Amino acid sequence: MKIKVLDVDTMGRDINFGILKELGEVELVGFTSADAVISTIGDANVIIINKIMITKEVLDACPSLRLICVFATGYDNVDIKSARERGVAVCNVPAYSTDSVMLFCVTAVLSLISHMNEYRGFVSSGKYTALGMPNAITPVFHEIKGLTWGIVGYGNIGRRVGEVARVLGANVIVNKRTRAEDIECVDIDELIERADIITLNCPLNENTRGLISRERISKMKKNAILVNVARGAVTDEEAVADAILDGTIAGFATDVYSKEPFDKTSPMMRLLGCDNVILTPHAAWAAYEARSRCLEIIFSNIKAFGEGKIQNRVDI
């Protein structure tokens, strides 16, 4: 079995890819550009990808390919329909990064609520030293206890975020596809209007693309903070940027973007340097423990496939 890892540098070389050698011949490729995907795959039987796009054209040109392992839970970068038609199996890794993404999500909320950027900047700039007083207490910040925390998407990550939110004393409401008995479920518009904190923890699909629209943003509380650890396209990025710059909402954090990395044409460029904005490089999933766990499950997925077993298949 010939196994190729097409974008190992996005996964981190600090985890033990050597375990894959038990399954066959392994080649690690740092990163593969879009125009080199076909040639890089070559005669590989199994590929492991993170962000690489696997299109119909790629599948047509790689007849030796039998299995695609996505180093992630989401698999919207693979043409599943074409893979299914060509008999190419596709496996993902569910739930490996739950605690890692929760950590980033909650950290962003806490930083924005406490105005940590502003307070840190006040000291780092020398203004605290020059103040001549022992403390500075502006901008004003508030406790989370008693605030309403709205969670969009209530899968593994959303549930963990909800657990922490409740420990912090927040009143938690959620928007999800099916009702749950253990939590208050509301429609998206009610959540938008009621929540002081809104975290996006949903997958990207036809129902969630553009879910946080300009109209919905306009209905948020002026003190609301919005945190996106889902997918960039769940939000209208232009509308979010406008809302931050005109003070419609109080704060914004995102780890994901409609184009990654975002370029000079992105609305996110307008938010660089804003104290009430936290922009991180799609890193929330990537705690060392999460990445190690992901690779171990991929190893198990490949082994199961070789034994004719079905495990974490998203193409059937």
Side-chain angles (χ1 to χ4, degrees), residues 224-299:
I225 65 167
L226 174 66
V227 175
N228 187 8
V229 290
R231 286 290 187 266
V234 172
T235 68
D236 179 336
E237 292 177 324
E238 192 77 48
V240 171
D242 288 343
I244 284 293
L245 294 174
D246 66 20
T248 300
I249 61 175
F252 173 61
T254 187
D255 186 56
V256 288
Y257 310 92
S258 58
K259 180 181 180 181
E260 297 177 347
F262 64 81
D263 58 25
K264 292 182 179 180
T265 67
S266 170
M268 297 297 101
M269 292 296 292
R270 296 194 283 138
L271 301 182
L272 296 180
C274 292
D275 284 335
N276 60 339
V277 173
I278 300 172
L279 305 178
T280 52
H282 203 146
W285 61 278
Y288 174 83
E289 293 80 6
R291 289 182 289 115
S292 297
R293 191 179 303 121
C294 186
L295 183 59
E296 290 167 2
I297 297 171
I298 284 176
F299 175 92

Side-chain angles (χ1 to χ4, degrees), residues 108-152:
V109 169
L110 295 176
S111 295
L112 290 171
I113 284 286
S114 64
H115 294 286
M116 196 60 65
N117 275 345
E118 293 96 318
Y119 280 117
R120 180 181 181 277
F122 188 79
V123 174
S124 298
S125 68
K127 291 179 180 178
Y128 176 59
T129 300
L131 182 64
M133 291 196 304
N135 61 278
I137 54 172
T138 54
V140 174
F141 64 96
H142 299 275
E143 297 174 349
I144 287 179
K145 185 176 182 179
L147 297 181
T148 297
W149 189 318
I151 301 173
V152 181

Side-chain angles (χ1 to χ4, degrees), residues 189-201:
D189 292 302
E190 182 178 346
L191 183 146
I192 289 295
E193 293 178 7
R194 285 177 56 188
D196 304 289
I197 300 162
I198 301 168
T199 58
L200 306 181
N201 303 107

